[in-house]
Amino acid sequence: MEPVTLHTDRLVLRAPTADDVDAITAACQDPEIPRWTTVPSPYTREHGEGFVALIAQWWADDSQAIWGAFHDEVLTGVVGLHHITPHDGGASSELGYWATAQSRGKGFMVEASRAVIEWGFTELALARISWRAVAGNVPSARTARALGFRYEGLMRQALTSPRGRDDGWMAGLVASDDRMPVDWPIALS
């Protein structure tokens, strides 16, 4: 699929380009981002270049849709639908995001994620969007809760994860989605 640009009241969401590598690299120097995500630490410019190249590849192969969120042309974070996977009852995906240190507490990730969730359900006809995080990532959980996600329980594969326990959540929006079969499994696997 081709990358799309989304607009909210305060943000422009677009696929990051080579022009954004320095901003991504600077943001990923914040120790909170690698603490709670799979972002490498230390994070180098080469990591940023590779990330931007991967985003283009993921859009092209329909496996992930990733946006940089920009307020007044300044990067506030990255949000995306990861692991877009077809199922008999409809495709599913996992929401992921991180916010720059300067943009935290301003509602940007909730605003950006709402736009991405709406796009995923309408344009990709997703039947399910999940979110998960390492246990203890309270700010990310607050964002997920503000988006209407509800707690599902511990992730089974997390028992073997080197990062520790993951907590799984599911989009509350899915419950009202008429495309979702009544017997759709709610446990993440």
Side-chain angles (χ1 to χ4, degrees), residues 35-182:
R35 176 180 180 195
W36 301 114
T37 69
T38 59
V39 168
S41 179
Y43 196 89
T44 66
R45 189 169 203 296
E46 291 74 27
H47 288 122
E49 291 167 345
F51 181 56
V52 168
L54 278 173
I55 290 171
Q57 178 184 328
W58 291 330
W59 274 100
D61 69 15
D62 298 339
S63 65
Q64 300 190 55
I66 311 296
W67 292 265
F70 297 87
H71 175 67
D72 293 334
E73 300 184 25
V74 175
L75 179 71
T76 63
V78 172
V79 59
L81 294 172
H82 304 279
H83 317 295
I84 300 168
T85 309
H87 292 288
D88 290 339
S92 68
S93 186
E94 180 180 323
L95 179 71
Y97 45 80
W98 56 258
T100 65
Q102 299 79 11
S103 69
R104 292 185 193 128
K106 298 178 181 176
F108 290 137
M109 276 302 101
V110 171
E111 188 174 327
S113 295
R114 276 195 180 121
V116 167
I117 289 168
E118 181 179 336
W119 182 84
F121 281 133
T122 58
E123 299 302 318
L124 296 181
L126 296 174
R128 175 184 171 88
I129 298 174
S130 61
W131 167 88
R132 65 182 177 153
V134 174
N137 189 346
V138 174
S140 190
R142 282 188 191 125
T143 298
R145 204 177 288 256
L147 291 165
F149 284 71
R150 67 177 189 267
Y151 186 66
E152 283 189 305
L154 299 178
M155 302 291 293
R156 286 179 292 215
Q157 70 269 26
L159 297 175
T160 60
S161 170
R163 295 185 59 83
R165 191 183 90 209
D166 287 348
D167 287 336
W169 296 61
M170 184 179 82
L173 299 170
V174 173
S176 64
D177 190 332
D178 293 334
R179 294 176 303 237
M180 187 179 86
V182 174

